[in-house]
Amino acid sequence: MSRLGYANPPRDSLELASLASSPVSARSSVSSVSPVSSSRRLSLENEDPLDASNAAGSLVNGSRRTDADRSRTYSVSSAFDFGTNFYPLPSTAAGGYAPLNALTPTTLGSAGGLGGGSLEKRKSLTYLNGLSLVVGVIIGSGIFASPSQVNTNAGSPGASLIVWVVAGMLTWTGAASYAELGGAIPLNGGAQVYLAKIFGELAGFLYTWCAVFVLKPGGAAIVAIIFGEYIVNAFASSKFEKEDLPGAFLSKAVALTGLCLVTLLNCLSTKLGTRMGDFFMFFKFIALLGVAITGIVSAMTGFTWKGDANLEWKEKGWFDGTNKDVSSWAIAMYGGLWAYDGWDNVNFVIGEMRNPARDLPLVIHTALPLVITSYVLTNVAYFFVLPSEVIAASNTVAVQFGAKVFGPIGALVLALAVAASCFGALNATAFTSGRLVYAAGKEGYLPSMFSRIGISNDPSSGRIRTRSWLGKRISRFLGDDERGLGFTPIYAMILNSALTCGYIFVGEFSTLLTFYGVAGYTFYFLTVLGLIVLRVREPHLERPYRTWISTPIIFCCVSLFLVSRGIFADPVQTIAVAVFVMAGIPVFFWRLRGRDGGGARRNVGDGEKGPWWKFWRRWRRRRA
């Protein structure tokens, strides 16, 4: 499915961004003797990083620098890093990457600023952190709670296992395609950056418009509500019924509490978020392995808490009753792909990975096989213990499994396991969604405050200051090394949390599921299609990892199938989705005008200035 090339040392995002904007002929003409990479040296040779467009180069000893001051020379034979302001923040309006010296108004805001706080400049995520993010989002509640959609529509245990394997392999093709895009464009933001680079900023903004305001907070709200329901059912199931108002209110209160807790911990430090993700990743694998082993032992020994053991897996063929209707298989496949959703989340934080060229492909090609194997083994365990009709009718398969084998104690343990899995998925979603909002603020798609690091207006710190001895000890223990507490996109994560709270209060997600099916896979399709376009348009772009060309083609075909199925199955809701996406177009032009200075005061005539929207002043001056 893939090819890895490590003949040369992996380039960091500074080198790759510079290389992507360099002409091919210029790249080949640079010698490789110098310890500075050819792409970085080319950028320094072609243009002065401290020219008039750079705020750092416009002042010399407190006064405006003249042309004579620019005549100085400098050596590019040293690997000395001249300053943090040389890091190229994304500027998709200028072909996808900003040259080293082109600090645009977007990159000179309070968020990043000249030498300001930036997550991408302080890489801290390792291979294990990336693996925990992918696994943490994929393994949520689906495999524990309700694989019934797959089993019901497939018609037989054997057919459902085939669906789980095929859905996992198709998901793997999409993840492998994203791995190539992430290596070629190693910046935070995921599909937002890729679409803007390949198809233009409008495509990137529309993805942001959908993901920030519906896809990410809506998906997190679903996970949070399931978390709340399982906690309430585990500890207060005898007091409340699910349909009762007090029970529903309590479930949502627990969901809001869990959401606020993970948001707070992720706002405190990146270390807390990643350590929680690592812990819950191991917990989920242990839980799934425990279910698989328990099912196998129960099948071999016939042990159950009470009643007879399930012998259906022995007496009935595993493919008896397989559904021959193509539409039913399509629904089953859609349910399987839904359970695997979240494979793209590590691309939202690739700019913070220490070695993205090496770690991103390894994360993808480790996480997906592990998840596929875990899903198949867990479903086999379900079939060993529970009859097919119970699996098809239950939305709490794991709880039914635990009750069958270990009685009430088993049901309680499995309910808590599902709740813990949801909490881990909620943590991973909060971490990655906050980075998406942060990247959107950097691009100017959202107000600049959402691209700010920490709570301070000082771009050089961006962290919570601690003065007491106890505060310093806590900061040293929980914080991010020398950066301490609060060096995170706090405002971005607060926005994502606030939107998620709104969806939790609403609690109606039938329309949201169609939105995921149509809008989500439409953007998946466009992003993976962009990989093919980028190969044709920029064949010399540095790609530390290249997947087989058949991989994106297969995924694009599957995405088109899923989108078309959603359109024909529910055309009314599909039209609503299209209207929502189209509504983002005027918002895009409004944000673009404000970001590029169109909203600022400009000349109207004879020195008179005014906002662009006061067009009558211009008309009045022309008449005069």
Side-chain angles (χ1 to χ4, degrees):
M1 184 180 291
S2 60
R3 296 198 298 269
L4 277 169
Y6 295 123
N8 297 320
R11 302 178 185 271
D12 59 18
S13 54
L14 174 66
E15 297 170 282
L16 289 173
S18 197
L19 180 65
S21 300
S22 307
V24 178
S25 59
R27 275 181 236 152
S28 60
S29 64
V30 179
S31 172
S32 60
V33 176
S34 169
V36 180
S37 66
S38 59
S39 58
R40 184 180 301 184
R41 186 170 66 254
L42 178 64
S43 298
L44 294 176
E45 288 175 344
N46 286 345
E47 297 184 58
D48 184 356
L50 297 179
D51 64 1
S53 64
N54 191 330
S58 60
L59 297 176
V60 175
N61 296 327
S63 60
R64 179 67 57 180
R65 191 177 69 172
T66 63
D67 292 338
D69 295 319
R70 293 195 199 101
S71 63
R72 57 152 175 80
T73 61
Y74 51 86
S75 171
V76 295
S77 61
S78 171
F80 177 75
D81 190 357
F82 289 91
T84 56
N85 56 299
F86 293 168
Y87 188 90
L89 296 176
S91 177
T92 50
Y97 291 115
L100 288 178
N101 69 322
L103 292 178
T104 63
T106 306
T107 63
L108 282 174
S110 61
L114 201 58
S118 175
L119 293 174
E120 297 90 343
K121 290 188 292 187
R122 294 167 172 84
K123 301 177 183 293
S124 60
L125 300 185
T126 63
Y127 160 76
L128 182 62
N129 300 145
L131 186 65
S132 66
L133 288 175
V134 175
V135 173
V137 178
I138 293 179
I139 303 179
S141 63
I143 190 61
F144 290 107
S146 56
S148 57
Q149 180 177 352
V150 175
N151 301 327
T152 301
N153 290 281
S156 67
S160 66
L161 293 178
I162 292 176
V163 170
W164 284 109
V165 173
V166 174
M169 297 299 293
L170 293 175
T171 300
W172 199 349
T173 62
S177 302
Y178 269 60
E180 177 175 331
L181 288 169
I185 310 175
L187 299 169
N188 277 5
Q192 169 191 297
V193 179
Y194 310 149
L195 290 171
K197 162 71 179 174
I198 300 167
F199 297 113
E201 282 199 283
L202 179 59
F205 177 85
L206 291 180
Y207 170 79
T208 303
W209 170 256
C210 295
V212 170
F213 292 100
V214 179
L215 293 177
K216 297 304 178 182
I222 294 175
V223 175
I225 288 179
I226 294 175
F227 165 77
E229 289 179 351
Y230 271 86
I231 291 292
V232 171
N233 288 334
F235 293 102
S237 58
S238 60
K239 297 181 180 180
F240 300 107
E241 294 292 335
K242 183 177 179 180
E243 292 78 9
D244 291 344
L245 183 61
F249 176 80
L250 183 59
S251 297
K252 291 192 176 185
V254 174
L256 291 171
T257 302
L259 173 65
C260 293
L261 179 60
V262 297
T263 302
L264 174 62
L265 294 176
N266 280 280
C267 285
L268 286 177
S269 73
T270 299
K271 181 189 293 185
L272 277 176
T274 55
R275 284 185 174 178
M276 282 198 303
D278 296 344
F279 169 78
F280 282 107
M281 177 188 68
F282 289 112
F283 170 83
K284 292 177 182 185
F285 279 130
I286 292 173
L288 290 177
L289 183 62
V291 170
I293 294 176
T294 301
I296 294 173
V297 172
S298 177
M300 293 177 61
T301 62
F303 173 79
T304 59
W305 174 257
K306 61 179 179 179
D308 297 331
N310 176 42
L311 299 178
E312 183 179 295
W313 62 275
K314 285 184 179 181
E315 300 171 350
K316 186 178 180 181
W318 281 62
F319 287 92
D320 291 350
T322 299
N323 203 327
K324 298 180 180 179
D325 185 11
V326 177
S327 61
S328 297
W329 275 81
I331 297 174
M333 189 66 65
Y334 188 79
L337 290 171
W338 171 267
Y340 284 105
D341 195 45
W343 46 266
D344 63 321
N345 274 258
V346 71
N347 288 74
F348 294 129
V349 299
I350 189 174
E352 298 174 60
M353 296 185 75
R354 294 176 181 174
N355 194 342
R358 181 198 66 189
D359 290 345
L360 179 60
L362 289 178
V363 165
I364 296 302
H365 296 307
T366 303
L368 268 301
L370 286 175
V371 172
I372 293 171
T373 304
S374 300
Y375 277 15
V376 172
L377 290 177
T378 303
N379 278 279
V380 169
Y382 291 155
F383 288 122
F384 279 158
V385 174
L386 299 173
S388 298
E389 59 269 15
V390 174
I391 298 175
S394 176
N395 289 325
T396 57
V397 176
V399 176
Q400 297 284 344
F401 177 90
K404 179 72 174 180
V405 179
F406 298 112
I409 299 298
L412 175 63
V413 170
L414 266 296
L416 294 177
V418 175
S421 178
C422 291
F423 189 84
L426 196 61
N427 172 74
T429 302
F431 188 94
T432 56
S433 299
R435 267 61 179 179
L436 174 63
V437 177
Y438 162 81
K442 284 283 187 184
E443 286 289 348
Y445 298 159
L446 294 175
S448 61
M449 69 174 295
F450 296 114
S451 64
R452 184 180 301 165
I453 303 300
I455 59 176
S456 172
N457 289 324
D458 180 10
S460 63
S461 63
R463 61 188 178 93
I464 300 174
R465 300 180 182 272
T466 56
R467 300 185 180 275
S468 65
W469 174 83
L470 179 60
K472 290 180 179 179
R473 293 295 296 269
I474 294 175
S475 176
R476 205 172 290 122
F477 179 73
L478 300 177
D480 298 320
D481 301 329
E482 74 280 356
R483 286 162 279 167
L485 296 173
F487 197 88
T488 57
I490 293 177
Y491 292 102
M493 284 190 283
I494 289 176
L495 174 63
N496 177 72
S497 178
L499 293 172
T500 304
C501 288
Y503 283 104
I504 291 176
F505 279 118
V506 173
E508 295 292 336
F509 300 110
S510 58
T511 303
L512 184 63
L513 295 178
T514 302
F515 199 104
Y516 263 94
V518 177
Y521 269 89
T522 297
F523 286 115
Y524 282 154
F525 165 76
L526 290 175
T527 305
V528 176
L529 179 66
L531 182 151
I532 303 174
V533 173
L534 198 62
R535 283 199 182 184
V536 175
R537 196 170 66 192
E538 299 188 38
H540 299 284
L541 178 65
E542 180 78 8
R543 292 175 174 87
Y545 167 83
R546 290 173 66 93
T547 187
W548 300 107
I549 190 61
S550 59
T551 301
I553 293 175
I554 292 173
F555 185 82
C556 286
C557 294
V558 174
S559 299
L560 283 178
F561 165 74
L562 292 174
V563 171
S564 62
R565 177 195 168 274
I567 292 174
F568 288 111
D570 202 336
V572 175
Q573 291 191 18
T574 301
I575 293 175
V577 171
V579 169
F580 179 85
V581 175
M582 298 298 290
I585 296 179
V587 180
F588 165 75
F589 287 105
W590 169 65
R591 287 301 309 166
L592 190 69
R593 182 183 294 273
R595 184 196 68 182
D596 295 340
R601 297 172 65 86
R602 60 174 63 178
N603 290 332
V604 180
D606 294 336
E608 183 183 0
K609 297 182 179 180
W612 65 271
W613 48 270
K614 293 186 177 180
F615 56 88
W616 59 84
R617 290 188 178 181
R618 187 179 298 107
W619 175 72
R620 190 181 305 159
R621 295 290 298 180
R622 288 175 180 173
R623 291 195 60 181

